[in-house]
Amino acid sequence: MSQDPMDFEWSYWIEWGRERILWLLAGHLLVSQVSRLLVEKYKPWCLMVYGMAACWLLLGIKGFAVILLHATISFAVAQFQLSLLTWLCSLILLSTLRIPAVEEAKRKWYDTENEYYLLLFTVSVRCLFCTSFSLEYCWHGPAQKSSHSFLWMLAYVFYYPTFHNGPLMNFDEFSKQMRRQEAFSLKTNLSVLIVGIIRIFFWWFLAELMIHLMYIHALYSSAPPLEAASYWALGGLALAQVLFFYVKYLVLYGVPALLLQMDGLKPPALPCCVSLMHSFTKMWRSFDVGLHRFLVRYIYVPMGGSQSSLLGTLFSTALTFAFVSYWHGGQSYLWYWGALNWLGVIVESGVKRILSVSVIQDLI
């Protein structure tokens, strides 16, 4: 039975997973468990070297050099300890991914478009990791600079389970957990691995079943079926699409999350089922937890967040969604998507504030 070919993201990562990425993740798991067993103290550096080697193997020397250059520039700018300068550097580095001449030059490094896109996706995610490290560096005093060395930045940026597609883990969480040395039990880890693999295979099978039987994305790519459908049918199609998106990310984030557990780290929670969500705010908090923590810690709270005035809250929320839209690619439809999500969050927040007034509560 043929599958729906229109979901690029699922087809892309499954193809790369089968070809190389799953094997490289298995290699990371082996290096991690051996280093935890024999040289726990040097585990971060063992994993860093492995991540660099995997990056070189998959993206080539030029791809590796681009990521290393981004990390070096970010670290150099962070030495000024100015958050605004760090953000400016991050946005400039991110903008280089959209310069046509640079795109064309990078395409020539590879034989296929898929290889170029792997570099593009990887560098986009690495930009967030470089930003997280650099801002933490700016915010910490001289006494803590040893824990924010360039070597630690490389260990964080080249940590392989989260390398290509996330999930995002802020540097402060990563470094604290990676430094923590705890009792290691191969038997316990093996049971966690087996249960985790069974769950991921179940999610993967469910996603494959949906993509082989439902053809949601193929229907969305053609106007006539949508025009002929009733509003109830359109609502069902929309629900089916977001449910597939949820199951897809259980797999795409479930694999690295399992490896994070095996490394003794606590991964961000996996996406919450979209059928249980009834608000924009909950969706942003509980779908991509790692990205939400990044946005709150580095954009929303520093800009004032909910503690500022009404206008301040509106501005900090707008800036957060503007960054999300720009980071995802900055196409016009992404700005519309970001604006609609911003509007949804603002309306919900406004309604909550109105309902919290004692007079309204008495009426209710």
Side-chain angles (χ1 to χ4, degrees):
M1 186 185 294
S2 63
Q3 69 174 46
D4 182 351
M6 299 307 292
D7 188 83
F8 169 78
E9 191 177 33
W10 178 255
S11 308
Y12 182 84
W13 289 116
I14 290 298
E15 186 182 335
W16 267 110
R18 284 171 179 161
E19 283 183 8
R20 292 187 192 175
I21 290 176
L22 279 179
W23 298 106
L24 289 171
L25 289 173
H28 170 94
L29 179 63
L30 182 63
V31 170
S32 165
Q33 299 311 291
V34 169
S35 61
R36 286 190 78 185
L37 196 61
L38 303 176
V39 283
E40 176 78 18
K41 188 180 176 182
Y42 301 104
K43 180 184 73 174
W45 320 125
C46 295
L47 297 181
M48 178 191 76
V49 171
Y50 181 84
M52 287 176 148
C55 171
W56 193 318
L57 181 69
L58 218 53
L59 299 174
I61 179 65
K62 291 178 180 176
F64 171 79
V66 166
I67 292 167
L68 189 59
L69 182 65
H70 275 229
T72 306
I73 292 170
S74 297
F75 186 77
V77 172
Q79 302 307 301
F80 293 98
Q81 293 190 274
L82 297 170
S83 298
L84 187 61
L85 193 61
T86 290
W87 264 116
L88 187 62
C89 171
S90 297
L91 290 172
I92 290 170
L93 289 174
L94 198 57
S95 69
T96 61
L97 302 179
R98 281 127 202 174
I99 300 171
V102 176
E103 284 183 330
E104 205 53 45
K106 287 176 182 174
R107 274 190 167 91
K108 290 175 183 175
W109 298 348
Y110 302 105
D111 298 325
T112 64
E113 280 285 289
N114 273 5
E115 289 174 294
Y116 164 71
Y117 281 127
L118 186 65
L119 174 67
L120 186 66
F121 297 147
T122 304
V123 174
S124 296
V125 176
R126 293 307 94 201
C127 274
L128 298 185
F129 278 68
C130 288
T131 303
S132 175
F133 176 89
S134 299
L135 288 171
E136 294 295 340
Y137 186 96
C138 291
W139 295 346
H140 286 79
Q144 295 165 301
K145 286 294 179 264
S146 61
S147 60
H148 292 74
S149 65
F150 186 59
L151 205 59
W152 266 105
M153 184 183 200
L154 294 180
Y156 175 57
V157 169
F158 285 98
Y159 181 67
Y160 195 68
T162 61
F163 193 66
H164 298 294
N165 195 41
L168 188 57
M169 190 177 189
N170 294 340
F171 178 73
D172 60 321
E173 297 169 7
F174 175 85
S175 61
K176 281 175 194 170
Q177 294 176 32
M178 190 62 87
R179 288 168 194 280
R180 186 180 60 221
Q181 294 186 13
E182 51 187 24
F184 174 71
S185 167
L186 197 60
K187 186 180 177 182
T188 304
N189 260 21
L190 191 61
S191 64
V192 169
L193 181 66
I194 291 168
V195 171
I197 288 172
I198 291 168
R199 289 173 71 194
I200 289 164
F201 264 105
F202 172 74
W203 297 329
W204 173 79
F205 176 75
L206 186 58
E208 285 289 325
L209 205 62
M210 292 172 83
I211 214 162
H212 276 83
L213 297 178
M214 296 175 76
Y215 289 84
I216 315 154
H217 303 90
L219 285 167
Y220 272 118
S221 63
S222 177
L226 297 178
E227 289 169 353
S230 67
Y231 289 128
W232 282 104
L234 289 173
L237 279 171
L239 179 60
Q241 188 181 42
V242 293
L243 283 170
F244 175 76
F245 192 76
Y246 159 65
V247 174
K248 173 170 68 176
Y249 268 86
L250 284 179
V251 178
L252 296 182
Y253 280 176
V255 174
L258 177 59
L259 289 171
L260 281 158
Q261 278 185 281
M262 298 298 290
D263 290 346
L265 309 179
K266 185 182 178 183
L270 290 176
C272 182
C273 180
V274 289
S275 295
L276 301 176
M277 295 183 199
H278 59 275
S279 76
F280 283 95
T281 311
K282 186 180 178 184
M283 193 282 290
W284 278 101
R285 282 179 182 163
S286 57
F287 193 86
D288 192 334
V289 175
L291 181 60
H292 175 259
R293 286 176 184 167
F294 176 93
L295 296 171
V296 169
R297 183 168 176 80
Y298 302 120
I299 303 177
Y300 185 70
V301 170
M303 292 309 297
S306 58
Q307 302 305 311
S308 61
S309 64
L310 179 60
L311 278 177
T313 303
L314 289 171
F315 178 70
S316 52
T317 310
L319 207 61
T320 303
F321 281 111
F323 175 75
V324 171
S325 301
Y326 183 69
W327 178 70
H328 274 91
Q331 291 89 348
S332 58
Y333 72 89
L334 287 167
W335 292 111
Y336 294 135
W337 167 75
L340 287 168
N341 275 279
W342 172 76
L343 192 62
V345 168
I346 290 302
V347 168
E348 281 180 3
S349 177
V351 170
K352 280 180 184 176
R353 286 192 182 191
I354 292 167
L355 293 177
S356 66
V357 175
S358 57
V359 176
I360 302 295
Q361 286 186 338
D362 291 343
L363 283 171
I364 292 169

